[in-house]
Amino acid sequence: MTSVINVLRRPCTGPAVWRGPDLADSAQWVLRLSPAQTDELGAALRSVRERGVPLLKVTADDFPLPTLSGELARLADVLENGRGFVLVKRIPVEQYGEAAASTIFWGLGQHLGVPVSQNAAGHMLGHARDTGGTMADPSTRGYQTRARLPFHTDGSDVLGLLCLRAARTGARTALVSSAAVYNAVLKRRPKLVERLYRTHLLDRREEQLPGEPPYSAVRFASWDGGKLSMRYNRCYLESAQRFPDVPRLQPADVELFDLIDELAESREFRLDIDFEAGDLLLLNNHAVLHSRAEYEDFAEPELKRHVLRLWLALRQGRDLPPDFWGDPHSAVDRPGRGGISPRDVIATQNSAVRCGSRSHG
């Protein structure tokens, strides 16, 4: 268990502490692109195509955004040092096919951070859409289903979601401040807070490297550099119980997770957002929990819900303990920045990308 000295026993303060009702009618967290800014996206796309740069090779320099790049730098600061999320609207995805929209999304991501692998197949640009699977299959991930996804975090500094097509009904997206939830736990059940800093075991959903355990040992809370960082995924926590060598959850653990879920779902804390075609949602996984409601899709394949997904490591990301992500390769010789090691790339090769003075797995 983490030393008591690293357990935050006072309320969090600052812009990362917010409540949904206070932001529901605010435009502070929404960036509506101007026609000039969308023209910049189109010009950058043409530049990439004219030079024939493959999508995964596109860098920020390959995707020039003369004025929008400054706005994206501001957004990166909001993600790390502000409220932890932003919704960018009016990306004209209806004008582009999937390939062009993917290039635009990737180019925007390059101005914000460095993409990391989202699964054991090494996918750097993901697709959130229904594949017909269910979470009963241990190899299925939540974003591949139409099922409700409870409040959770993903395995990177920042999650980016670009909506190409919305669902027929449902799929409501909701956000909650991790720090606000933490403060509420501290106020209601202060003795439970320390349990967030204990080691918990999360199912790796069949995505571990050969020879590695099928679960990760992680802490759900970290207090480093004056910032609270939380990661939480109850689905993976509970599915890890299928392994006989994983200790059984204690009643106090279940009580804590029930309280986190209750608080996150509460209208006192939750912010519901409309997530429509052309919307880009960016959120800091250390500061924001997110959820998605169950949805019904269209019958026609060309109309079905389709969301592009990026996991990004911030270039100026916060300090994290070496074992924050729980992956063995992240704690060997450097602070890891998230992502899932591809099965066909050994750990030393997977550490090749660097951001500033930090290296990212």
Side-chain angles (χ1 to χ4, degrees):
M1 183 175 67
T2 304
S3 172
V4 172
I5 195 172
N6 289 330
V7 176
L8 179 63
R9 300 186 183 280
R10 65 180 186 277
C12 299
T13 59
V17 184
W18 50 265
R19 298 191 179 207
D22 296 332
L23 296 179
D25 297 324
S26 171
Q28 297 178 2
W29 49 276
V30 179
L31 171 63
R32 299 179 186 277
L33 297 185
S34 67
Q37 290 170 328
T38 58
D39 287 346
E40 280 193 10
L41 294 178
L45 174 64
R46 288 192 296 274
S47 175
V48 168
R49 286 181 161 177
E50 289 169 359
R51 297 173 57 204
V53 183
L55 185 145
L56 297 186
K57 297 291 186 180
V58 173
T59 67
D61 289 339
D62 296 318
F63 200 82
L65 299 171
T67 63
L68 189 54
S69 60
E71 191 69 26
L72 293 174
R74 182 188 69 81
L75 296 186
D77 184 68
V78 170
L79 291 172
E80 179 54 41
N81 301 306
R83 73 185 66 87
F85 74 96
V86 66
L87 182 67
V88 181
K89 299 186 73 69
R90 297 180 179 169
I91 297 177
V93 296
E94 71 282 353
Q95 298 179 16
Y96 305 108
E98 180 182 322
S102 297
T103 300
I104 288 174
F105 186 31
W106 180 269
L108 288 168
Q110 289 291 319
H111 284 270
L112 291 165
V114 175
V116 296
S117 173
Q118 301 178 32
N119 53 36
H123 293 159
M124 307 293 281
L125 180 64
H127 299 265
R129 52 188 172 190
D130 180 31
T131 62
T134 70
M135 291 300 288
D137 179 353
S139 65
T140 296
R141 306 271 289 279
Y143 65 86
Q144 298 171 320
T145 76
R146 291 186 290 112
R148 172 182 175 271
L149 302 182
F151 279 95
H152 66 284
T153 59
D154 282 6
S156 62
D157 287 341
V158 166
L159 168 67
L161 299 171
L162 175 62
C163 184
L164 301 184
R165 292 189 296 273
R168 181 173 179 270
T169 61
R172 182 209 70 208
T173 299
L175 311 178
V176 69
S177 161
S178 298
V181 169
Y182 187 94
N183 288 351
V185 173
L186 190 63
K187 180 179 180 180
R188 296 191 189 186
R189 299 298 309 278
K191 292 183 179 180
L192 290 179
V193 163
E194 189 171 315
R195 304 191 78 85
L196 283 169
Y197 295 82
R198 298 187 181 189
T199 297
H200 302 278
L201 300 178
L202 294 178
D203 193 347
R204 299 177 75 172
R205 306 297 290 182
E206 311 294 318
E207 293 201 304
Q208 68 274 12
L209 293 174
E212 290 184 348
Y215 47 79
S216 293
V218 302
R219 291 171 291 173
F220 285 166
S222 172
W223 176 246
D224 293 271
K227 291 182 179 180
L228 175 74
S229 300
M230 279 187 62
R231 63 176 306 183
Y232 180 69
N233 193 320
R234 189 168 184 173
C235 290
Y236 288 11
L237 175 82
E238 292 180 340
S239 66
Q241 295 285 294
R242 64 194 174 100
F243 302 111
D245 55 336
V246 169
R248 302 302 92 180
L249 291 174
Q250 301 177 18
D253 291 322
V254 175
E255 184 179 355
L256 171 62
F257 303 142
D258 284 346
L259 179 57
I260 290 174
D261 291 345
E262 175 190 340
L263 292 167
E265 289 287 353
S266 169
R267 293 189 179 278
E268 181 182 358
F269 295 97
R270 190 184 78 219
L271 174 66
D272 294 332
I273 66 173
D274 294 324
F275 191 48
E276 304 168 330
D279 288 353
L280 168 58
L281 176 63
L282 298 163
L283 62 89
N284 188 323
N285 281 300
H286 310 310
V288 177
L289 298 164
H290 65 282
S291 74
R292 189 205 69 203
E294 181 181 10
Y295 67 88
E296 293 184 8
D297 223 337
F298 293 94
E300 299 86 352
E302 68 276 9
L303 297 179
K304 289 184 178 295
R305 184 180 188 266
H306 189 181
V307 175
L308 299 179
R309 192 172 86 146
L310 279 176
W311 281 5
L312 297 171
L314 288 175
R315 291 185 173 85
Q316 302 298 326
R318 65 187 61 194
D319 292 332
L320 294 170
D323 60 347
F324 183 82
W325 297 108
D327 294 327
H329 74 275
S330 294
V332 175
D333 59 1
R334 69 195 192 286
R337 301 304 302 185
I340 297 174
S341 292
R343 288 200 180 96
D344 60 350
V345 180
I346 62 174
T348 54
Q349 291 174 329
N350 197 42
S351 65
V353 178
R354 295 189 64 83
C355 298
S357 62
R358 301 172 186 273
S359 42
H360 301 254

